[in-house]
Amino acid sequence: MTIPVAVVGIGKIARDQHLPAIAANPDFTLAAAVSRHGKVEGVPNFTDLETFLAEGPPAAVALCTPPDVRLQMCLAAIAAGRDLLIEKPPAATLGEIETIIAAAAKAGVVLFATWHSRFAPAVEPARAWIANRTPTRITITWREDVRRWHPNQAWIWQAGGFGVFDPGINALSILTHILPGAIHVDSAELEVPSNAFTPIAARLAMTGRGAIPISADFDWRQEGPQTWDIEVQAGAERLKLRMGGARFAIDGVEIDAGPEEEYPEIYRRFARLIAARESDTDISPLRIVADACLKGRQTATEAFHD
Ligand code: NAP
């Protein structure tokens, strides 16, 4: 018996990753699509979640909408008893995700708050390397071209849209996975375009486990080659994760971590969680973003136009 799943929010990530990952996973069948504008061929399409939950097939839900509309959608799916997979960031605020987690636990539905970057192939080797060492410094450099990765997405510039923290939280999801324990934001500088409500660049100074200094440089204005690096110094030794965790090198020597399988891994894990009736909901990356916004010093910068 396969698990029927409906994809909600047929945008970039649903089309690029979720639909292909579901199609390739023998444990799942795509049962429906829910989107105001997008359509998926070969399955029933619904323009709103409420109608799908009331009249559609009894399927699990993969929620691929922006974070600011997750709370009501998650609560509706949970109230209808649906197992639920949500894209990162899990919600727009800590209060919202805490409400969602509590509702899922009370209803006995499986909730999987995904962090796709944690499934990048070099992340587990990096976690194992760090487990045997004491890092002395961690440096995150996450600089990409917003026009390439979020073309014409107005929601990312609205309050609750995360701005550069939308990709930055991927780096933080890797950081919190490879370095367990509390991470505190000491200071943050946020650059906000004069015509937007969310930052286009952010620089964070943090402290992790013990007194490990951690810096993060998030920037959405990088054209040409893109940079998604995390460098971990442990005394004289150095591990470097590159390409968002797809590659890694130790002391400059490149090691093959295997193929990129982030979304196939996400759906394999969702199937295991459903079989075990367990949830997976780590909110620590969102907490760092929230703390950076609480402690951050904002400066206005040049207006942004797509
Ligand atoms: P997107 O292309 O804008 O797609 C979002 C979808 O959500 C749209 O198709 C839209 O569908 C629906 N939606 C938008 N606003 C809505 C609203 N107010 N109410 C209900 N539905 C709404 O965005 P995306 O890039 O796919 O990102 C979606 C999520 O995936 C974000 O949380 C993002 O962080 C995450 N993600 C994105 C990427 C990436 O490379 N872009 C990678 C990994 C994760 P309809 O208008 O058709 O209803």
Side-chain angles (χ1 to χ4, degrees):
M1 266 271 288
T2 60
I3 304 162
V5 61
V7 176
V8 179
I10 305 299
K12 187 172 189 320
I13 199 61
R15 289 194 191 280
D16 287 358
Q17 297 289 350
H18 289 262
L19 296 174
I22 291 166
N25 188 318
D27 287 331
F28 289 96
T29 311
L30 183 67
V34 183
S35 184
R36 295 164 306 175
H37 308 101
K39 285 233 177 314
V40 177
E41 276 192 25
V43 293
N45 283 270
F46 297 83
T47 52
D48 67 277
L49 182 63
E50 290 66 29
T51 309
F52 160 71
L53 292 173
E55 299 171 11
V61 167
L63 199 50
C64 301
T65 58
D68 204 29
V69 292
R70 296 263 172 77
L71 176 63
Q72 297 312 329
M73 289 183 155
C74 286
L75 294 182
I78 290 166
R82 307 306 175 87
D83 292 330
L84 186 55
L85 176 158
I86 52 181
E87 255 299 347
K88 47 64 58 171
T93 68
L94 288 171
E96 288 180 3
I97 188 58
E98 283 168 1
T99 296
I100 293 165
I101 291 170
K106 192 165 175 210
V109 308
V110 171
L111 174 63
F112 183 18
T114 63
W115 298 107
H116 65 87
S117 293
R118 287 184 175 175
F119 294 93
V123 170
E124 281 310 323
R127 183 176 156 99
W129 187 87
I130 287 182
N132 296 321
R133 291 168 177 82
T134 303
T136 43
R137 171 167 296 279
I138 300 179
T139 309
I140 299 171
T141 312
W142 224 253
R143 300 172 73 96
E144 62 175 49
D145 183 353
V146 63
R147 290 186 176 87
R148 195 185 316 177
W149 303 103
H150 294 274
N152 301 309
Q153 290 182 358
W155 61 266
I156 54 175
W157 302 111
Q158 301 300 317
F162 283 73
V164 77
F165 285 114
D166 182 85
I169 204 168
N170 296 334
L172 298 173
S173 75
I174 295 176
L175 172 70
T176 47
H177 188 66
I178 63 178
L179 187 76
I183 294 175
H184 297 128
V185 176
D186 301 317
S187 65
E189 307 278 341
L190 314 177
E191 287 185 57
V192 181
S194 57
N195 59 346
F197 295 101
T198 57
I200 195 164
R203 286 172 298 281
L204 275 56
M206 299 170 276
T207 305
R209 196 173 75 196
I212 304 166
I214 305 165
S215 66
D217 173 10
F218 302 142
D219 205 311
W220 246 349
R221 297 167 296 195
Q222 177 150 309
E223 295 172 3
Q226 308 285 282
T227 310
W228 299 289
D229 292 350
I230 300 180
E231 211 170 303
V232 183
Q233 195 74 40
E237 297 177 284
R238 180 166 47 94
L239 176 139
K240 186 166 181 175
L241 280 171
R242 291 193 304 111
M243 296 173 66
R247 303 267 177 86
F248 77 122
I250 294 175
D251 297 328
V253 179
E254 197 69 34
I255 296 163
D256 184 4
E260 192 281 297
E261 292 256 291
E262 291 181 17
Y263 281 81
E265 283 295 336
I266 281 179
Y267 278 90
R268 287 195 274 273
R269 176 142 181 78
F270 192 34
R272 289 196 300 274
L273 289 170
I274 289 173
R277 304 305 305 159
E278 279 173 14
S279 289
D280 177 349
T281 57
D282 177 21
I283 62 174
S284 56
L286 183 62
R287 182 179 296 114
I288 295 176
V289 172
D291 288 354
C293 291
L294 280 170
K295 239 183 170 177
R297 204 167 51 182
Q298 283 201 14
T299 53
T301 188
E302 207 178 311
F304 175 83
H305 300 286
D306 243 316

